[in-house]
């Protein structure tokens, strides 16, 4: 009788499909980030620059703690390297024919004093994923479950287009439409955070262009702040073409924003309407102190 | 099944099949009903202390409901399920699940202890979103339970005069008197502004120390747990009246460092089962022993001693830890 061969299934280390992400979410405290923006806005370049930074050392006080998708990272990084043989670094266009795939990074606090490890699952998605989520009850590009699981929607606006008088309005409108589609889909949960990112910041040179970017950013924040837990903004230049800013300008700060949770506040309940005893005094205190207390406590 | 269970479980497994969801639900439902004071403490500690391993009984119970459930590299999933189990103590399902024994009801004492344990133990650490909604529910439960235990609203009118109805009214009257006395005591404490623990007026004590002393003094006046919810408000109000009582805050290191010899007066003996769930009590105890405590504290509790807290936050946390210990004593008899 032939001996039975035993096989050990090894992880492929390619990007994870949506059905594989539970390998990470079941193991680690995980932040799921959807990087969204039009084609050419720099979604994949952010991931490339982040990976390359970690190759050099800690990033924003975070140590590289491993990745289940090292091959996936190498695949997207290769066209940007000398070894690719290309004279100008390029970024591979994300395929639209497959469902969203996730790249994984595990990071931990570099000081080592506090045990604090977080896994990041990041997927770059095109606008089609947003419109599909709005129009279809069972979307396929990003599944309903992954929309609901998303902790952060990182919306990218191409700074180069915002700096151009010809293209800026279209860029601004597209960003607004994407966010509106996300909100109308009813998949995004109230605990999801929105980060608005202006990419290619090295091309936003004039004061007038910077002012427009700022106005655009403010407009999106005011329109969508009620739909998300928090809204923050960043300007980055992941692969700058000029020497005005360093390589991966703003990317470490952006990553920190992904993994940073809002400061935890002690939870306290307001006195109910059926308060007994010193309830009247308690209610008077709450009325006068509410603004201070809400900054120091999670008031329910 | 709890209407939110699928959403809660989504954090750990966004793509869980219906079969897996049902198995996990059945397991946590059974776990909640099987919880004792002791096991609820170990479960709460596992949720908030990343260095701890999952309680064996909990993993065995999960496995018994799904024999193909993975055993390794599922720590985050186990923490999510552990927190859900504690949540179910305060939100029991109204309809009995199939096969449930009618006697398997939630012990309210266990629910109170477990709620205190998780709230107290999560202080200072970065709280993920999936946990914060459970903490809100537990805080709400303790508040309503504190009021409910003393809820004597409505006039009691005897419809029929019988020995039983008269006795019931007398018991009700007794409770009203107890409540009035309890409230009186707290209000006198507030008016006098005097610390029995420190044998001094709060105004003469360093504010950060006075905040802790207030927590200790109030906890000693407490006869029933959970405390009346308004008492937390009274505590915050009293702290806000201290000089510098409303400042943005000091580091935890400074709050504890300011205690000096007062630490011994403010020290509360923490039962071993609660040590990992009472960060301030732990720090006060270490201060009394004059031990270099910061490094061990940070590794144990997952946040830096340099993190800043207002005196109100410190006072509330210490009061909760002391209430937690009292509730544990009363549950254990």
């Amino acid at each position: 009788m032939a001996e039975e061969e035993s096989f050990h299934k090894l992880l492929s280390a390619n990007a994870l499909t949506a059905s594989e992400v539970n390998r990470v979410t079941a193991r680690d405290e995980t932040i799921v980030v959807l990087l969204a923006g039009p084609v050419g806005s720099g979604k994949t370049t952010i991931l490339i620059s982040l990976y390359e930074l970690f190759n050099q050392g800690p990033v924003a006080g975070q140590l590289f703690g491993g990745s289940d998708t090292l091959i996936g990272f190498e695949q997207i990084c290769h066209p940007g390297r000398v070894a690719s043989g290309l004279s100008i670094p390029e970024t591979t266009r994300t395929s639209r024919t497959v469902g969203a795939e996730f790249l994984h990074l595990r990071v931990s606090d570099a000081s080592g004093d506090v045990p604090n490890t977080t896994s990041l699952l990041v997927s770059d998605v095109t606008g089609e994923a947003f419109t599909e989520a709005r129009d279809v009850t069972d979307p396929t590009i990003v599944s309903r479950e992954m929309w609901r699981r998303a902790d952060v929607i990182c919306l990218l606006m191409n700074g180069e287009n915002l700096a151009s008088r010809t293209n800026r309005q279209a860029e601004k409108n597209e960003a607004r439409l994407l966010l509106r589609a996300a909100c109308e889909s009813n998949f995004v949960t109230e605990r999801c955070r929105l980060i608005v990112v202006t990419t290619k910041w090295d091309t936003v040179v004039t004061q007038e262009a910077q002012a427009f970017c700022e106005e655009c950013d403010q407009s999106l924040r005011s329109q969508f702040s009620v739909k998300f837990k928090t809204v923050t903004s960043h300007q980055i230049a992941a692969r700058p073409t000029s020497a005005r800013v360093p390589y991966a300008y703003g990317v470490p700060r952006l990553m920190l924003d992904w993994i940073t949770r809002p400061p935890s506040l002690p939870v306290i309940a307001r006195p109910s309407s059926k308060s007994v005893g010193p309830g009247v005094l308690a209610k008077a205190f709450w009325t006068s102190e509410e603004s201070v207390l809400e900054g120091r406590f999670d008031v329910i | 099944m709890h209407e939110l269970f699928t959403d809660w479980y989504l954090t750990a497994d966004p793509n869980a099949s219906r079969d897996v969801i049902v198995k996990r639900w059945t397991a946590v439902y059974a776990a909640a009903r099987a919880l004792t004071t002791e096991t609820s403490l170990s479960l709460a500690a596992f949720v908030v202390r990343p260095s701890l391993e999952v309680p064996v009984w909990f993993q065995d119970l999960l496995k018994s409901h799904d024999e193909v459930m993975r055993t390794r590299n599922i720590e985050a999933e186990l923490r999510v399920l552990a927190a859900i189990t504690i949540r179910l103590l305060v939100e029991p399902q109204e309809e009995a699940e199939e096969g449930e024994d009618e006697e398997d009801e939630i012990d309210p004492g266990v629910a109170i202890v477990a709620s205190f344990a998780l709230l107290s133990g999560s202080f200072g650490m970065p709280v993920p979103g999936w946990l914060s909604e459970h903490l809100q529910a537990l805080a709400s439960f303790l508040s309503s339970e504190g009021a409910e235990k003393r809820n004597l609203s409505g006039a009691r009118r005897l419809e029929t005069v019988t020995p039983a109805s008269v006795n019931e009214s007398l018991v009700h009257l007794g409770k009203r008197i107890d409540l009035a006395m309890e409230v009186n005591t707290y209000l006198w404490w507030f008016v006098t502004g005097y610390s029995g623990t420190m044998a001094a007026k709060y105004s003469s004590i360093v504010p950060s120390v006075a905040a802790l002393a207030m927590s200790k003094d109030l906890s000693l006046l407490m006869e029933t747990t959970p405390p009346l919810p308004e008492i937390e408000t009274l505590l915050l109000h009293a702290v806000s009246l201290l000089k510098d009582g409303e400042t943005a805050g000091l580091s935890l290191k400074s709050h504890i460092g300011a205690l000096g010899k007062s630490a011994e007066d403010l020290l509360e003996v923490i039962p071993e089962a609660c040590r990992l769930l009472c960060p301030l009590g732990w720090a006060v105890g270490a201060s009394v022993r004059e031990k270099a405590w910061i490094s061990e504290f940070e590794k144990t509790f997952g946040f830096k001693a340099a993190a800043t807290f207002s005196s109100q936050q410190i006072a509330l946390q210490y009061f909760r830890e002391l209430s937690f210990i009292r509730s544990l004593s009363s549950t254990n008899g």
Side-chain angles (χ1 to χ4, degrees):
Chain A
M1 192 188 294
E3 282 186 1
E4 209 174 270
E5 291 181 274
S6 62
F7 293 92
H8 294 280
K9 192 174 178 183
L10 298 177
L11 299 175
S12 69
N14 288 322
L16 299 172
T17 62
S19 62
E20 293 171 328
V21 299
N22 65 323
R23 180 197 306 164
V24 174
T25 57
R27 183 187 66 212
D28 299 330
E29 200 56 56
T30 304
I31 305 284
V32 175
V33 180
L34 299 181
L35 270 180
V39 172
S41 55
K43 301 182 292 296
T44 308
T45 312
I46 290 175
L47 296 171
I48 292 170
S49 62
L50 197 54
Y51 182 69
E52 297 289 17
L53 284 176
F54 272 117
N55 272 320
Q56 295 167 24
V59 176
Q62 301 293 313
L63 287 171
F64 178 70
S67 169
D68 284 10
T69 61
L70 286 173
I71 299 293
F73 271 112
E74 289 293 325
Q75 284 173 337
I76 64 170
C77 288
H78 181 70
R81 292 177 176 157
V82 170
S84 67
L86 297 170
S87 54
I88 300 171
E90 288 183 6
T91 304
T92 309
R93 292 256 183 267
T94 305
S95 169
R96 295 186 212 185
T97 61
V98 299
E101 292 188 328
F102 293 80
L103 291 175
H104 170 239
L105 270 176
R106 202 160 183 244
V107 297
S108 62
D109 182 61
S111 68
D113 297 333
V114 170
N116 193 0
T117 301
T118 305
S119 266
L120 272 171
L121 282 172
V122 189
S123 178
D124 58 357
V125 295
T126 63
E128 282 177 324
F130 284 68
T131 48
E132 188 197 34
R134 182 195 60 199
D135 299 336
V136 173
T137 53
D138 206 4
T140 55
I141 303 174
V142 177
S143 68
R144 179 178 44 205
E145 290 76 20
M146 288 314 298
W147 276 111
R148 293 190 62 76
R149 181 59 182 83
D151 296 289
V152 177
I153 289 179
C154 197
L155 177 73
L156 272 57
M157 293 191 293
N158 188 330
E160 196 168 15
N161 286 343
L162 291 176
S164 155
R165 291 186 188 208
T166 316
N167 300 330
R168 59 177 46 161
Q169 287 300 339
E171 186 73 20
K172 181 180 173 184
N173 288 340
E174 186 157 5
R176 188 182 295 130
L177 286 173
L178 283 182
L179 284 178
R180 192 181 295 163
C183 297
E184 289 174 0
S185 72
N186 291 322
F187 291 149
V188 175
T189 65
E190 64 277 358
R191 63 173 175 74
C192 187
R193 293 182 282 135
L194 173 64
I195 301 178
V196 179
V197 180
T198 305
T199 63
K200 305 182 186 179
W201 187 247
D202 59 315
T203 62
V204 183
V205 177
T206 65
Q207 271 193 333
E208 183 262 343
Q210 289 176 3
F212 181 82
C213 290
E214 173 66 28
E215 182 263 323
C216 197
D217 186 69
Q218 282 296 334
S219 164
L220 289 174
R221 286 160 74 106
S222 65
Q223 190 174 354
F224 294 100
S225 60
V226 293
K227 306 283 189 186
F228 294 91
K229 188 173 173 73
T230 59
V231 181
T232 50
S233 307
H234 292 266
Q235 294 84 36
I236 70 169
R239 188 189 286 148
T241 52
S242 74
R244 283 183 63 236
V245 297
Y247 175 76
Y249 171 77
V251 173
R253 210 168 46 242
L254 175 63
M255 184 205 70
L256 211 54
D257 200 2
W258 288 347
I259 64 174
T260 300
R261 296 172 204 135
S264 58
L265 302 175
V267 184
I268 188 168
R270 283 191 188 84
S272 76
S273 57
K274 299 176 192 172
S275 294
V276 299
V280 171
L281 290 173
K283 280 188 214 164
F285 170 75
W286 276 91
T287 304
S288 65
E289 299 291 322
E290 192 140 359
S291 58
V292 172
L293 292 172
E294 287 210 337
R296 294 179 186 164
F297 297 94
D298 180 5
V299 178
I300 57 169
Chain B
M1 186 184 294
H2 194 293
E3 60 179 359
L4 294 177
F5 178 74
T6 308
D7 287 341
W8 293 338
Y9 188 59
L10 185 82
T11 302
D13 188 352
N15 303 296
S17 65
R18 178 174 169 72
D19 182 53
V20 166
I21 290 173
V22 169
K23 285 177 177 172
R24 297 292 180 270
W25 164 252
T26 313
V28 297
Y29 184 85
R33 263 139 194 77
L35 277 179
T36 61
T37 304
E38 185 188 349
T39 54
S40 69
L41 294 183
S42 66
L43 206 61
F46 171 65
V47 173
V48 294
R49 301 282 89 89
S51 58
L52 293 182
E53 293 194 357
V54 60
V56 172
W57 66 267
F58 186 61
Q59 184 145 38
D60 287 345
L61 190 146
L62 290 170
K63 197 83 174 162
S64 71
H65 285 83
D66 182 1
E67 59 182 11
V68 300
M69 181 181 182
R70 284 188 293 159
T71 311
R72 292 178 293 188
N73 293 326
I74 55 166
E75 292 78 15
E77 179 181 358
L78 293 172
R79 287 199 159 81
V80 166
L81 291 170
I84 293 171
T85 303
I86 293 175
R87 174 74 178 265
L88 292 182
L89 291 177
V90 307
E91 289 184 16
Q93 298 304 285
E94 287 181 4
E95 291 178 15
E97 298 285 312
E98 191 179 318
E100 183 189 47
D101 188 338
E102 281 185 9
E103 289 177 358
D104 289 339
E105 288 190 357
I106 304 285
D107 181 342
V110 173
I112 291 169
V113 166
S115 299
F116 269 127
L118 204 51
L119 272 171
S120 170
S122 62
F123 176 75
M125 57 174 266
V127 172
W130 60 265
L131 182 56
S132 69
E133 69 168 287
H134 295 317
L135 295 178
Q136 289 174 352
L138 298 180
S140 182
F141 165 76
L142 287 174
S143 179
S144 60
E145 192 68 16
E148 194 60 35
K149 280 195 166 187
R150 301 160 177 90
N151 186 9
L152 305 165
S153 59
R156 296 298 294 262
R157 185 188 293 275
L158 291 179
E159 297 298 333
T160 54
V161 179
T162 65
S165 66
V166 169
N167 280 340
E168 193 185 332
S169 276
L170 285 173
V171 166
H172 180 75
L173 181 63
K175 285 184 179 176
R176 288 193 83 103
I177 293 172
D178 288 343
L179 173 62
M181 285 175 59
E182 182 183 10
V183 169
N184 227 31
T185 305
Y186 292 136
L187 291 175
W188 271 113
W189 166 82
F190 179 75
V191 165
T192 57
Y194 183 84
S195 170
T197 306
M198 307 282 293
K201 285 185 81 70
Y202 293 117
S203 55
S204 67
I205 306 170
V206 170
S208 59
V209 177
L212 284 166
M214 285 181 172
S215 305
K216 176 96 185 205
D217 292 329
L218 262 187
S219 74
L220 290 172
L221 298 176
M222 199 166 49
E223 293 188 7
T224 309
T225 56
L228 201 56
E230 288 80 358
I231 299 313
E232 290 188 340
T233 304
L234 194 64
L235 174 63
L236 297 183
H237 183 41
V239 172
S240 71
L241 294 178
L242 292 170
K243 182 173 176 297
D244 300 331
E246 282 194 336
T247 54
L250 298 173
S251 67
L252 178 67
K253 198 166 52 176
S254 299
H255 276 289
I256 302 298
L259 290 176
K261 291 196 167 59
S262 310
E264 197 148 353
D265 297 325
L266 296 173
L267 178 66
E268 181 84 9
V269 175
I270 303 176
E272 185 59 35
C274 303
R275 281 191 75 246
L276 295 180
L277 296 162
C278 296
L280 289 189
W282 190 104
V284 171
S287 169
V288 168
R289 293 189 293 275
E290 293 178 15
K291 205 174 126 175
W293 57 273
I294 290 177
S295 176
E296 191 182 344
F297 177 90
E298 292 180 346
K299 284 195 174 66
T300 303
F301 293 103
F303 66 98
K304 291 192 186 293
T308 56
F309 300 96
S310 69
S311 294
Q312 288 175 322
Q313 290 170 324
I314 292 290
L316 181 68
Q317 171 62 18
Y318 200 46
F319 180 67
R320 283 207 173 138
E321 289 183 17
L322 297 175
S323 302
F324 168 33
I325 294 169
R326 302 253 184 287
S327 69
L328 186 60
S329 304
S330 61
T331 304
N332 289 341

